[in-house]
Amino acid sequence: MTDLIVFGEDWGAHPSSTQHLVSHLPGPRRIVWVNSIGLRRPRLTLGDAGRVVRKLVSAVRPSARPARAAAPPAPGPVVQPIILPMARGALARGLNRRLLARKVGAAARAARLYRPVLWISLPSAIDAVGALDESAVVYYCGDDFGALAGVDHARCLEMEAELAARADLILAASPAMAARFPASKTHVLPHGADLGLFGTPVPRAADLPDGPVAGFYGTLAEWLDYSLIAATAGLLPDWRFVFVGPIGADVSAIAGLPNVSLLGARPHAALPSYAQHWTAGLIPFLDNAQIRASNPLKLREYLAAGRPIVATPFPAMLPYAEHLAVATTPEAFADALRAAPADPFGAAARRQAAVAGESWDARAADAAALIDGLGR
């Protein structure tokens, strides 16, 4: 089976689709994981300065960077690269190639990788191509980098175009993303779900309020419709609206409402204790380019948990539309939530059955067949 050098997000920082897929690849195979190469130039802010310092400390003393308590073990050595972010020009990019060849190459040799395949999930790793004695290049496109919040869109798309041209195989998380690349080497690989984690009954989270609860987990980001949430909460004063996850946007529209609770981040393994026990799960997305191209992990995880779901419309939910209540206005959202406690007998089992064949093991097996086939 093919050895891999994976350029993904920071290992353990959050359970990305890359982390899920790589963790479930059939083995044995040797893997080196390379932490995130930034998707924008650092700015003169305290947040960016802190991130740079953490990256530098981790690069010099990897043990000084504690793993999150609930982070799964990495599939192999984890490398913290230090390169020029979003580099342009032959001189800067040549320096990046030498830096990557030296540090990542040393880790690959120490792990005894032979002619590995490069798995690249972030276009900012483009300078690794051709620097690591790879046998092939796979681009895993899990996000629309032309619409993703918090990145340098123009430069990301330039790097993505170069990466797509040099890749031997492209795996795209949605048909909308796949349509941007050559059909001859592109395959749609939708996200999966940890069916065992979300489908196995667990006790109710201690901080989940009593009474009817509408719940959401994930980053409170720019792509959530906070006006819709606020108006719906106003129509249902006897409901509690619970949000589990880090705050990544202006949430002032909901933060002060008496029936809204912002609980902060929780370990991924703890999420079923919320999703299995709230009255209904929420997916209140805005309608924008990023959401139209997305394939959100939480959709299948909510279905695997079995509880009713109320969502705004977006393309990735269409195959599961019969198992969701779809609404676009506060009044429709409120009506769908009021109906949730009367969930019909067998509806939970039908939701779980809708994703029964969509485990991360199954998705990873599909990816492995394509990747291992490159060498043959």
Side-chain angles (χ1 to χ4, degrees):
M1 294 183 180
T2 309
D3 295 339
L4 296 173
I5 299 176
V6 179
F7 288 83
E9 303 79 3
D10 288 359
W11 182 267
H14 67 280
S16 67
S17 55
T18 301
Q19 180 172 309
H20 284 301
L21 285 166
V22 171
S23 296
H24 289 82
L25 287 172
R29 70 181 76 232
R30 291 177 289 267
I31 297 172
V32 169
W33 182 280
V34 185
N35 274 346
S36 172
I37 295 175
L39 293 166
R40 62 174 175 81
R41 291 181 181 275
R43 295 189 284 263
L44 294 176
T45 65
L46 288 176
D48 280 9
R51 178 174 172 82
V52 169
V53 169
R54 289 191 296 272
K55 292 273 188 181
L56 289 171
V57 170
S58 178
V60 176
R61 295 189 295 121
S63 61
R65 181 183 182 184
R68 291 196 174 185
V78 177
V79 179
Q80 180 60 64
I82 298 297
I83 67 170
L84 301 174
M86 310 297 282
R88 292 178 181 271
L91 184 62
R93 295 190 61 186
L95 175 60
N96 278 354
R97 278 190 288 274
R98 289 192 292 275
L99 291 170
L100 289 167
R102 181 176 180 181
K103 186 158 191 178
V104 180
R109 289 189 295 274
R112 302 177 64 188
L113 271 66
Y114 174 74
R115 298 283 290 158
V117 167
L118 298 190
W119 171 312
I120 296 178
S121 295
L122 303 176
S124 51
I126 179 61
D127 291 330
V129 177
L132 294 166
D133 192 32
E134 68 270 11
S135 60
V137 176
V138 175
Y139 174 36
Y140 173 65
C141 181
D143 287 294
D144 180 356
F145 293 104
L148 186 66
V151 307
D152 291 340
H153 296 143
R155 181 61 183 137
C156 279
L157 290 177
E158 289 175 1
M159 294 186 297
E160 183 183 68
E162 181 180 349
L163 177 57
R166 300 179 70 178
D168 301 283
L169 171 67
I170 300 173
L171 304 175
S174 73
M177 293 183 215
R180 304 205 308 268
F181 307 117
S184 60
K185 60 180 178 181
T186 302
H187 297 261
V188 177
L189 184 71
H191 292 154
D194 190 332
L195 304 182
L197 177 65
F198 284 89
T200 301
V202 297
R204 181 186 182 93
D207 57 351
L208 192 62
D210 294 327
V213 175
F216 171 92
Y217 65 71
T219 301
L220 278 71
E222 297 175 2
W223 52 81
L224 296 186
D225 191 336
Y226 294 103
S227 296
L228 174 64
I229 297 165
T232 304
L235 293 172
L236 297 173
D238 56 328
W239 280 65
R240 296 298 301 270
F241 289 74
V242 172
F243 293 83
V244 178
I247 295 175
D250 178 6
V251 298
S252 57
I254 64 172
L257 298 178
N259 59 337
V260 171
S261 299
L262 307 180
L263 300 185
R266 296 292 185 271
H268 187 254
L271 297 179
S273 66
Y274 296 89
Q276 291 179 7
H277 295 282
W278 53 40
T279 312
L282 298 175
I283 308 182
F285 288 157
L286 291 169
D287 180 20
N288 59 28
Q290 179 180 347
I291 294 301
R292 288 192 291 273
S294 71
N295 193 263
L297 275 65
K298 66 173 54 62
L299 172 59
R300 291 175 179 81
E301 292 171 348
Y302 280 15
L303 288 165
R307 300 300 301 146
I309 303 165
V310 184
T312 52
F314 54 96
M317 50 76 59
L318 292 176
Y320 312 97
E322 66 180 289
H323 304 292
L324 288 71
V326 180
T328 58
T329 67
E331 293 76 15
F333 250 77
D335 287 342
L337 288 172
R338 291 188 187 102
D343 197 34
F345 177 78
R350 289 191 291 274
R351 294 184 195 103
Q352 293 173 321
V355 293
E358 302 185 41
S359 68
W360 284 117
D361 283 329
R363 298 299 194 221
D366 291 342
L370 293 167
I371 293 169
D372 293 339
L374 292 174
R376 296 191 292 271

